[in-house]
Amino acid sequence: MKKSELNVAMIGYAFMGKAHSNAFLCANRFFDLPVKFNMTIICGRTEKNVRQVQKKWGWQQYSRDWKEVVRRNDIDVVDVATPNNIHVPIIIEAAKRGKHILCEKPLGISVAECKKAVEAVKKAKVHHMIWHNYRKAPALSLAKRLINEGRLGTIYHVRAVFLQDWIIDPKYPLVWRLKSEESGSGTHGDICVHLIDAARFLVGEMKEVTGMVETFIKERPLPDDPRKKGKVTVDDMSSFLCRFENDAVGVFEATRFAPGRKAHNKIEVNGSKGSLVWCSEDLNYLEFYSKDDPKHMRGFRKIMATEAVHPYLKGYWPPGHSISYEHTFINALVDFAHAFARGENPSPNLEDGLKNQIVLEAVLKSAQTKQWIQLS
Ligand SMILES: NC(=O)c1ccc[n+]([C@@H]2O[C@H](COP(=O)([O-])OP(=O)(O)OC[C@H]3O[C@@H](n4cnc5c(N)ncnc54)[C@H](O)[C@@H]3O)[C@@H](O)[C@H]2O)c1
């Protein structure tokens, strides 16, 4: 018998902790789902902060020790929203105890450890999901539908950028995202991975890549003692070219050094019959150009994906009432709940996390060797 209520333990309470708390709080309110999510326990390192977040978002209990949390018999789902280096250790311990897994991206810090995470969830036969939330924007899901319907014809190009500027000041401290031991890679695993996931979602698997990375600011002040500096051990930008298995080609660029750009996550796909453009900063809209339109009317149309026929929208508002970043996390949980009830895993899941990691690592290897790398 499948459970109809799932007790959730969330590890990590900060940026993603907030996005996930909101999703757990709202999913059953906006949608009639086959399972109910109970916000049972939240976990983080700093007692004062974790207690504050527990109260604010309505978690029933808090803990400071993720190992103790994943051992509890009353927990069904472990949600991982911590720095990247402890994703896989938490997944392995939790899966061993039969917990279903929700994990933030990137899945881990290396292909080798991501493989262990996938082995662990498969061996334990637990359900799993990776929070690649941008796939869950209705307009990007619509893009996938239009491609599947053949409206773009043969796909030739994918062009994707994720541009930010938050560390351009050399005085910005050496936070965990800038240290390879905690983060794996830098901009690459943090935001280029979203582009990789979106491209795989829309166009399919990649077969070869060649890339470059650069670290512009090599040392930064330590967070606890700004008079001292530490070494930045990850990339500040990454870019790469790829060829897809269907022979389409891709150009990708991610950076935290584009002044004025905050979270400019944009993907364009060109095919023999048309083009699509989606940007997270305008996430309700999909631009679509079709060569099937009469010649005198051709041009990009901007489709506002807020109708009930668009993915996920039935649960929210009447047409024209926009949704936003936080709803993409709710939508991910909606897919998880339905997949869980069917006895399946949602898409994307930890296997996608591994596939994304294989691309990430191949790009880094190519940047080092200055070679094209085949993805077998
Ligand atoms: N999907 C997205 O759009 C998106 C956006 C931002 C971050 N992320 C991913 O989410 C994850 C978390 O990022 P964030 O921005 O929330 O980071 P953050 O620094 O804001 O929060 C990290 C949290 O992890 C907790 N933590 C760290 N070590 C811990 C430990 N040993 N035990 C328990 N808790 C621990 C911290 O207390 C904190 O609450 C990362 O993997 C990141 O790549 C995804």
Side-chain angles (χ1 to χ4, degrees):
M1 263 293 275
K2 281 272 163 201
K3 284 195 169 188
S4 59
E5 294 204 14
L6 294 174
N7 291 342
V8 179
M10 185 177 76
I11 325 286
Y13 56 73
F15 180 14
M16 280 308 101
K18 189 172 176 180
H20 296 192
S21 296
N22 180 63
F24 289 119
L25 202 59
C26 293
N28 292 106
R29 291 179 165 87
F30 280 107
F31 293 85
D32 294 323
L33 299 177
V35 291
K36 179 172 178 288
F37 296 102
N38 294 327
M39 297 168 72
T40 305
I41 186 162
I42 182 173
C43 175
R45 289 165 306 178
T46 316
E47 173 131 10
K48 183 171 152 269
N49 297 349
V50 73
R51 282 186 67 174
Q52 250 174 22
V53 180
Q54 178 215 348
K55 281 208 187 108
K56 193 170 191 177
W57 286 96
W59 290 88
Q60 292 159 19
Q61 300 159 43
Y62 77 91
S63 166
R64 294 184 54 228
D65 180 359
W66 68 260
K67 289 188 178 147
E68 175 252 328
V69 166
V70 303
R71 279 198 293 267
R72 284 172 54 144
N73 290 331
D74 60 339
I75 297 300
D76 302 301
V77 173
V78 170
D79 178 30
V80 187
T82 62
N84 308 339
N85 63 325
I86 50 169
H87 290 183
V88 174
I90 296 173
I91 291 169
I92 291 174
E93 286 305 309
K96 251 192 231 164
R97 289 164 176 85
K99 314 298 180 199
H100 307 296
I101 305 291
L102 312 179
C103 182
E104 259 306 337
K105 47 49 60 177
L107 179 52
I109 59 172
S110 72
V111 169
E113 71 154 11
C114 292
K115 279 186 180 160
K116 288 184 188 153
V118 171
E119 278 163 20
V121 290
K122 282 189 166 174
K123 188 169 172 205
K125 295 192 172 56
V126 294
H127 293 266
H128 48 96
M129 175 180 95
I130 189 157
W131 293 91
H132 268 294
N133 57 303
Y134 292 110
R135 281 197 193 199
K136 309 298 174 180
L140 198 64
S141 293
L142 176 63
K144 170 76 173 161
R145 175 174 165 183
L146 298 188
I147 290 172
N148 285 357
E149 289 173 350
R151 292 180 195 275
L152 259 64
T154 304
I155 306 294
Y156 294 130
H157 286 286
V158 176
R159 209 166 291 109
V161 295
F162 202 143
L163 312 175
Q164 302 183 332
D165 69 357
W166 59 277
I167 57 167
I168 201 153
D169 182 350
K171 293 199 196 92
Y172 191 90
L174 191 66
V175 295
W176 71 262
R177 277 184 165 81
L178 306 179
K179 295 193 279 187
S180 59
E181 67 273 22
E182 285 178 76
S183 172
S185 60
T187 300
H188 192 48
D190 193 27
I191 54 177
C192 199
V193 73
H194 280 304
L195 304 178
I196 293 167
D197 187 71
R200 287 186 48 254
F201 173 54
L202 295 177
V203 174
E205 301 303 331
M206 299 174 193
K207 66 178 174 192
E208 56 180 4
V209 296
T210 185
M212 65 181 284
V213 292
E214 186 56 70
T215 305
F216 300 116
I217 311 273
K218 316 276 187 219
E219 288 189 328
R220 288 182 180 272
L222 301 181
D224 298 334
D225 184 357
R227 288 163 306 172
K228 290 191 188 144
K229 282 190 169 182
K231 203 168 170 221
V232 176
T233 45
V234 298
D235 57 277
D236 286 335
M237 67 72 69
S238 76
S239 62
F240 74 98
L241 304 177
C242 85
R243 208 177 296 278
F244 290 85
E245 283 178 359
N246 64 7
D247 288 332
V249 295
V251 186
F252 297 78
E253 184 190 19
T255 183
R256 293 165 175 158
F257 281 70
R261 296 298 189 189
K262 304 300 169 184
H264 190 77
N265 169 7
K266 186 172 185 176
I267 186 158
E268 174 162 335
V269 184
N270 309 126
S272 56
K273 290 169 66 176
S275 295
L276 288 170
V277 187
W278 178 81
C279 182
S280 65
E281 289 177 336
D282 205 6
L283 68 71
N284 288 279
Y285 289 92
L286 180 68
E287 289 184 58
F288 175 47
Y289 175 92
S290 174
K291 282 182 70 199
D292 288 340
D293 285 346
K295 222 170 184 173
H296 66 291
M297 289 172 61
R298 277 188 206 162
F300 273 96
R301 71 187 82 162
K302 216 171 160 189
I303 304 169
M304 190 186 203
T306 61
E307 302 284 337
V309 292
H310 293 129
Y312 310 110
L313 262 303
K314 269 192 193 137
Y316 297 109
W317 318 115
H321 295 75
S322 310
I323 62 162
S324 192
Y325 177 70
E326 67 270 28
H327 299 89
T328 59
F329 294 90
I330 301 174
N331 299 345
L333 273 190
V334 168
D335 286 352
F336 177 81
H338 287 296
F340 179 84
R342 290 194 306 269
E344 295 169 5
N345 292 314
S347 173
N349 54 54
L350 264 52
E351 294 196 64
D352 292 282
L354 172 59
K355 286 178 185 162
N356 292 340
Q357 193 78 32
I358 289 171
V359 178
L360 285 174
E361 205 161 287
V363 171
L364 293 180
K365 188 171 171 196
S366 119
Q368 234 174 22
T369 60
K370 302 192 192 315
Q371 304 281 320
W372 277 86
I373 305 293
Q374 305 299 314
L375 307 171
S376 49

